[in-house]
Amino acid sequence: MGIKAALPKYEIYFYNTVLCLAMFWAASWIFEVSCSNANRKTFKTSVKPGWYYFGRKMDTADFEWMMWFSTFREHILFALSGHVLFAKICSMLAPQYRSLVYMVYGLLAVWTSMGWTYVTLILSHCILLYSISLVKIRWLCFVTGLCTLATFKCEPFVSWQAGFVEGDFELRHILFYGGCGFTIMRCMSFALENCERKDGNYNILELLKYNFYLPFFYFGPIMTFDKFYLQVNKSDLTRKEWEVWNINLQAVIYLGVIIVVDVLFHFMYILSIPTDMKLLKHLSDWALVGLAYFNLVYDWVKAAVMFGVINTVSRLDHLEPPSPPKCITLLYVFSETHFDRGINDWLCKYVYNHLGGKHENMVEELVATLCTFGVTILWLGPCQVVLLWAFFNCFGLNFELWTAKFFSMEPFATFEMAMSEAMSRRIRAVFNTFNFWCIVLYNVLALNSLDFAKLVTKRLLLKGFPFTTIMVMFVTYCLVQVIKERERRQALIDDPDPLPPPPPPSAATASTTTTTITATPSPAPAASPVTDPSKEKAE
């Protein structure tokens, strides 16, 4: 079945209508629960007074969002504004030194916020991995990097290194782990790229420029060294038409999304409700299912906004950062399930694609996915929830390959070839429906808690069977068809179908053409006649 398989328009309109009504229905349940439980005792620490002109309390359960857009807002704006100012001055006066200016400003900003001992710790890791990269043994660089990353995930190394952070800055612990973790990933990228370089080695100054680029330092995203090196050292700094306009438009959109999310936090407590298991047990099936879905949508919005703000600054520096994460609403296959494209690109380049080859052999694919999720577990920090999340997603990714291999065999391949493309698309959408909810439940496990994921699963598959199960799966089927329609239209834009050849002229048309040509007098009778191929063909 091709991605360009179309369905009748009335069928697509029906799917969109069902989907919109279901979204509003689930949101109304969550809104009602939020209104009736705003003063609940278990919500005292997370539901606090918000904007006074709304007259409602606000859900503040997400510490990361509150840190970025409330507590840490002034620090971010001040640091990034300074970076943009100095970068613009350098681009105008001495563009050949702009990467060096980025490094100096980033180094001073990190020194000011975290102290010189923290800078010394970061430099020691950079020097260690740079020294190992000079040997140009790929596996040694990888093992050293993973061991270094493990020192930030296990005791007593964590407490010993955390002691290097000076001062009582409110967010120093967050900045400590963020800066150190991303530093190790960047140093590993540099070391592995240095191993691939045939002629000589990269200078350690290039590693420092790469690591201390301030917009990416504390919170990412990760851009692999080869891409960063090419983009930050390019001499042509001219912009495409409308590029600055698009950058400003993206910044305005992100600002609007931040305001919309803050407003919605006053009306739907989607983050506080999952923490109260007693309340969850009394919710309706629609409220519980909608709560699980909206939690994942919010997590995508948060990642898109946080990375989007940083990416806007990096685009002003003439860089092309990793794309924003793909929305959970548009995911129905495990191979596209990633909330951080920077980490995903890093893992694919250095682990998954390196070990998996063409991703056709099941054994190679299994080894590649196991190693990829092994690195991911170390990156996130090994614990029960992370291990369960990694196991289920690893199984889902491999199960997709096994299923594709199985149904490509006979007689299934013949059956699919015999049916129409529209029917094949409908049947595939049924399987994608169950896949979609596997992705939702596996990621709810990581975002919320094991108890919440178990409760949603029981309501969806056991307690709510058959009415809730059938209704939710039907709505999800409509959602998958809407996603496929969007992908079909994008495929037609990216790769339009060739126009059909013009039909040959009919006999009547040829006769009329002959009569017209013959009856038309020659404007120059004395001149020698010119041979007309179309006339000869018509005659």
Side-chain angles (χ1 to χ4, degrees):
M1 191 273 301
I3 193 175
K4 297 179 183 179
L7 295 178
K9 287 188 176 180
Y10 66 85
E11 188 174 344
I12 299 298
Y13 293 150
F14 173 74
Y15 292 148
N16 278 282
T17 303
V18 171
L19 186 60
C20 292
L21 292 176
M23 291 294 181
F24 282 115
W25 179 250
S28 66
W29 277 99
I30 298 174
F31 173 72
E32 183 181 348
V33 174
S34 301
C35 291
S36 57
N37 294 276
N39 297 318
R40 196 175 177 88
K41 289 183 179 180
T42 53
F43 290 173
K44 282 186 177 181
T45 57
S46 58
V47 178
K48 299 178 180 178
W51 296 351
Y52 66 92
Y53 35 81
F54 277 131
R56 292 182 58 89
K57 294 183 177 181
M58 179 182 178
D59 191 347
T60 61
D62 189 351
F63 170 76
E64 196 173 14
W65 181 273
M66 293 298 111
M67 176 193 71
W68 266 80
F69 301 110
S70 296
T71 311
F72 202 30
R73 179 178 53 200
E74 291 78 10
H75 303 283
I76 291 176
L77 291 176
F78 179 77
L80 293 183
S81 298
H83 172 86
V84 172
L85 178 62
F86 283 102
K88 183 63 177 177
I89 294 174
C90 181
S91 298
M92 293 171 61
L93 300 179
Q96 67 273 22
Y97 298 115
R98 63 193 185 100
S99 60
L100 190 61
V101 172
Y102 298 160
M103 182 199 74
V104 172
Y105 181 84
L107 194 59
L108 291 175
V110 174
W111 190 358
T112 304
S113 59
M114 300 293 288
W116 70 269
T117 51
Y118 179 75
V119 174
T120 305
L121 176 65
I122 294 296
L123 288 174
S124 67
H125 287 296
C126 293
I127 294 172
L128 171 64
L129 283 165
Y130 176 76
S131 303
I132 297 297
S133 71
L134 298 178
V135 184
K136 293 202 170 186
I137 301 177
R138 186 183 178 91
W139 67 265
L140 183 60
C141 294
F142 214 94
V143 170
T144 305
L146 294 181
C147 291
T148 308
L149 183 62
T151 61
F152 294 101
K153 306 295 180 181
C154 59
E155 295 291 349
F157 303 103
V158 178
S159 301
W160 177 69
Q161 293 183 98
F164 286 98
V165 181
E166 296 177 343
D168 55 352
F169 186 41
E170 183 181 0
L171 299 169
R172 65 188 182 93
H173 294 292
I174 304 296
L175 300 182
F176 171 80
Y177 289 109
C180 291
F182 282 107
T183 291
I184 301 304
M185 300 297 279
R186 283 188 289 264
C187 288
M188 289 178 67
S189 176
F190 174 87
L192 294 171
E193 292 297 333
N194 195 53
C195 292
E196 297 295 326
R197 188 173 185 178
K198 303 301 182 183
D199 50 337
N201 299 290
Y202 289 108
N203 195 303
I204 191 173
L205 187 62
E206 298 297 336
L207 172 58
L208 298 180
K209 292 177 183 178
Y210 173 50
N211 186 61
F212 284 100
Y213 179 66
L214 184 63
F216 294 166
F217 182 79
Y218 285 118
F219 302 107
I222 289 179
M223 180 189 292
T224 55
F225 176 73
D226 56 333
K227 295 180 180 178
F228 182 85
Y229 181 76
L230 291 176
Q231 295 176 21
V232 82
N233 290 306
K234 66 180 180 181
S235 56
D236 183 17
L237 298 183
T238 57
R239 295 192 182 276
K240 300 176 183 178
E241 187 179 4
W242 299 102
E243 185 177 356
V244 176
W245 167 260
N246 291 331
I247 292 174
N248 293 329
L249 180 61
Q250 288 295 322
V252 172
I253 291 175
Y254 291 132
L255 179 61
V257 172
I258 292 171
I259 295 174
V260 170
V261 171
D262 265 8
V263 171
L264 290 177
F265 275 163
H266 289 78
F267 295 94
M268 292 195 296
Y269 305 149
I270 58 173
L271 303 177
S272 293
I273 294 175
T275 61
D276 190 343
M277 291 304 298
K278 290 184 178 179
L279 177 60
L280 288 173
K281 292 178 180 179
H282 294 87
L283 297 185
S284 66
D285 294 344
W286 277 103
L288 204 59
V289 169
L291 201 60
Y293 172 74
F294 285 132
N295 263 261
L296 289 185
V297 173
Y298 162 72
D299 190 71
W300 166 77
V301 170
K302 179 178 69 173
V305 170
M306 290 171 63
F307 289 136
V309 171
I310 294 174
N311 289 352
T312 301
V313 176
S314 63
R315 286 192 175 94
L316 291 174
D317 296 333
H318 301 271
L319 299 180
E320 289 296 330
S323 304
K326 193 171 183 179
C327 182
I328 183 65
T329 304
L330 304 178
L331 295 177
Y332 55 85
V333 290
F334 278 92
S335 58
E336 297 183 6
T337 309
H338 44 263
F339 288 92
D340 185 343
R341 287 187 188 269
I343 293 291
N344 181 75
D345 292 345
W346 193 99
L347 291 170
C348 287
K349 181 177 177 62
Y350 300 121
V351 184
Y352 185 60
N353 293 334
H354 185 74
L355 298 175
K358 296 182 179 180
H359 304 292
E360 294 177 352
N361 185 283
M362 289 190 291
V363 176
E364 291 181 353
E365 182 75 2
L366 180 61
V367 172
T369 51
L370 287 173
C371 293
T372 302
F373 279 101
V375 177
T376 307
I377 290 170
L378 184 59
W379 164 254
L380 296 175
C383 62
Q384 182 185 13
V385 172
V386 172
L387 290 173
L388 287 173
W389 170 85
F391 170 78
F392 285 122
N393 279 275
C394 183
F395 172 77
L397 191 61
N398 284 277
F399 188 72
E400 279 184 349
L401 177 63
W402 302 337
T403 306
K405 290 282 187 183
F406 179 74
F407 282 102
S408 64
M409 299 166 60
E410 295 295 342
F412 305 106
T414 305
F415 290 159
E416 186 170 18
M417 292 296 294
M419 67 178 66
S420 65
E421 287 191 341
M423 183 56 66
S424 175
R425 170 175 163 174
R426 295 186 185 101
I427 294 175
R428 284 173 176 263
V430 172
F431 289 97
N432 295 145
T433 297
F434 295 97
N435 215 33
F436 180 90
W437 271 103
C438 287
I439 294 173
V440 171
L441 293 174
Y442 296 167
N443 287 280
V444 162
L445 172 68
L447 294 175
N448 296 103
S449 65
L450 179 59
D451 293 334
F452 179 60
K454 289 166 60 177
L455 182 61
V456 175
T457 306
K458 287 180 180 179
R459 287 287 192 92
L460 183 62
L461 301 178
L462 300 177
K463 271 193 171 183
F465 187 84
F467 181 74
T468 301
T469 307
I470 294 175
M471 289 299 295
V472 170
M473 292 303 171
F474 174 69
V475 172
T476 309
Y477 170 82
C478 296
L479 171 62
V480 171
Q481 290 290 16
V482 171
I483 300 170
K484 286 180 177 288
E485 183 64 19
R486 181 180 180 274
E487 292 175 346
R488 185 187 74 85
R489 293 181 179 180
Q490 187 61 43
L492 291 175
I493 295 173
D494 298 337
D495 182 24
D497 293 331
L499 295 175
S506 61
T509 306
S511 177
T512 305
T513 305
T514 305
T515 305
T516 304
I517 295 175
T518 307
T520 304
S522 175
S528 59
V530 180
T531 305
D532 188 352
S534 62
K535 183 177 179 180
E536 289 181 355
K537 183 178 179 181
E539 289 174 351

